[in-house]
Amino acid sequence: MRIGIPRALLYYQYYPMWKTFFEELGAEVLVSPLTSAEVVASGCSRLSTEICLPVRVFCGHVLSLVNQCDHIFIPSIHSVELKVYNCPKFIGLPDLIRASIPECPPLLEPDFDVNKGRRQLYLTIYKLGQILTRNPWRIRKAVDKALKVHRKYREEIRSQKLTPPQAIEKILYQPKELGNKGLDSNMTIALVGHPYLLYDEYINHRLMRKLERSSVNVVFPEMVEPIELRQSLTQLVEQPYWTYEDEVIGAGGYYLRHGIDGIIALTAFGCGPDSLMVELLRRRAKKLDKPFLNLVLDEHTTETGVVTRLEAFTDMIRRRRKTSSPSFHYIPHFGNEAEEEINVLGIQTFGNVLAAIKTVAKMLDISIVAPPVTKHTLSLGTRYSPEFTCIPFKFILGNFIEALEQGADTLFMITSVNACRLGYYAKVQEQILRDLDYKFKFLKFKSSQKGLVGVLKAVKHLTNDSPWSTVIAAYRLGTAKLEALDNIERQVQKCRAIEIEKGMAHRIFRQAVTAIEEAPDLSSIKQVMSQHLEKLNQIPKDSGIVPLKVGIVGEIYVVMEPFINMNLEVELGKLGVEVRRTKSTFFSEWARLGQFNVLNEEKKKMQRFALPYLKRDVGGHGFESVAEKVRLSMEGYDGIIHLAPFTCMPEAVAENIMPSTAENIPVLTLLCDEQMAKAGLLTRLEAFVDLLRWRRKKLGRL
Ligand code: SF4
């Protein structure tokens, strides 16, 4: 049996181990050729530009193996360390490839996730071995040999200062001459980044050789002991969030403390993790007054461009040396003011949540600052955020600055542990706000914290230990308001499409938001809700219209915040479209008693819909987006609008898988960033709605 292994992404970490395992079991292993212009072009022709260059190059390597082998090995590596996750593109890699290369031979796509326990890991490896033999001892022997080779490979890299390609050459093919002798140069530059950027000479335009040719001594992450990488990482960010964070944050932090002249961070355009990690590194280097260059690569990067930037960087370092300045000693800030009293709580809001939060705050006597999301929020957030991060980050940072300016002494942030950038927001936002000299307490609430009890404990903590009875009463009143608002909003979504006087339903909704916010107790909430539902029923409607039905799916922040999606639902209503959003984009579904169980049930249902196309949870709402396409098509919807922040990783995976589903319901993907313009949005909406009308006529569904 011939098993193909693409020479990209995790090839640089695990190729000797994988090759040994399969060959021990009698397979022939075929590795794709070196990256070339053809490989890059073919990969870029199959995946959208929202997918980072390394993954598109990987796709090109897979294409070069099609018709050469019986299987292609593409593991889904979720996590190799407890509570530390891989980026969504790694997790969804087999699904991405299956969707973009239908002619691909069958994939070997085991899921590796150490959080699922050792037994699951052994079972996964055993199942993988079973494609070649049923003999468990042979599989066990192959695993032992493969692990031995892996350890030797990592040791060779560190002890001989070899790059991964050199070590692969040495371990597997024993060439004569090898090894970096280290130049007798008086300038040392550290290169940090993911191995598939540092060691793929085609992608990085032979960066390392260029530096060596200009007499620069180059050091890289693999030269550092893992324990030292981890110590440096811990110093910078306390604990890892992403797999391979050591290569960027760990290595950068280490070299910034070990006498290098400058640091070059190599990142890929559209890389989610690097957009935030490199920002922390850049700020640390600035504080230590160390030259720092972030070289962002994509398929348009040219050799000349790279050379120009390198020359400018090394010249600057040489000039500086003549006027060398003393180095600084810098300690990053990690909030530890947990004990202090909360006076004014600053929170960022989106969707309808503010009414509930204000109610809870009033009942628990806590003053809050919750600035609305506006143009000013975006300009503030864009000014101080890393350029390549996703739009929710920029809005939330802008909101926090506004809250601090309005007197907040404590900020509250929800984080998550599921591979998308949300879980890293707090680390970078806190650093940016501290660097802007704001003094505040930063309270983080992990969305995975134990369901309802976790939420109530957080509310109790946020309200300086209010009595449980008050906390529970406040929570009940708050969730009742969310429920009432969501019920009214669902009715408004229906009315907008058929109301004769456009905008009437929306006005009633705005009135309802204010009335619900002011309702003092459960019975008045019920009353206000039925009054406004009745008002909506009374709206003059065009009963002759059968509205188009469109589902809105995508990343929760851009789906739920009208300012960011430019009032998409209102605009669709004006075009006679009835809108439906996924359950997880209604806060009341989150807050329903028993909380995450409801959503977990919903998630299981989603899995069933998504399964043929996306077999694993890639974080964020990527899963739901694919599942909703299948479900809404089954429910006879006319179309789907897929809303996602530009470069959002889970949604980029979903965006590239959705076209491959059998359900050919039309999907319009709208990518949100600070460049997004209303006129452009309206033009695309009108064209999409015209297409849906034409299609409905063609299908005779009028
Ligand atoms: S997004 Fe970043 S971490 Fe993820 S595959 Fe792309 S380059 Fe690697």
Side-chain angles (χ1 to χ4, degrees), residues 9 52-55 87-90 194 196-197 268 270-274 649:
L9 294 181
C52 58
L53 180 67
V55 172
C87 113
K89 294 165 193 169
F90 275 109
H194 302 295
Y196 41 86
L197 291 171
C271 172
D274 287 355
M649 300 182 285

Side-chain angles (χ1 to χ4, degrees), residues 427-495:
K427 287 180 188 176
V428 184
Q429 286 169 341
E430 178 169 10
Q431 196 60 60
I432 294 171
L433 294 168
R434 303 253 180 240
D435 292 350
L436 291 169
D437 282 333
Y438 288 108
K439 304 280 175 283
F440 61 95
K441 199 183 1 275
F442 204 18
L443 300 176
K444 297 148 213 163
F445 173 72
K446 275 208 184 90
S447 61
S448 55
Q449 268 163 292
K450 301 278 165 301
L452 180 58
V453 178
V455 172
L456 294 176
K457 276 189 183 155
V459 172
K460 190 170 169 51
H461 177 62
L462 285 172
T463 55
N464 302 322
D465 221 14
S466 300
W468 273 116
S469 56
T470 329
V471 169
I472 292 167
Y475 181 80
R476 285 194 63 219
L477 195 62
T479 49
K481 292 193 175 187
L482 286 177
E483 195 134 351
L485 281 171
D486 287 349
N487 291 343
I488 296 170
E489 189 175 10
R490 284 193 174 100
Q491 198 51 31
V492 168
Q493 288 170 334
K494 287 192 167 62
C495 292

Side-chain angles (χ1 to χ4, degrees), residues 8-22:
L9 294 181
L10 296 178
Y11 160 91
Y12 297 95
Q13 253 104 350
Y14 302 120
Y15 176 61
M17 178 171 76
W18 292 341
K19 180 176 164 61
T20 308
F21 175 76
F22 289 121

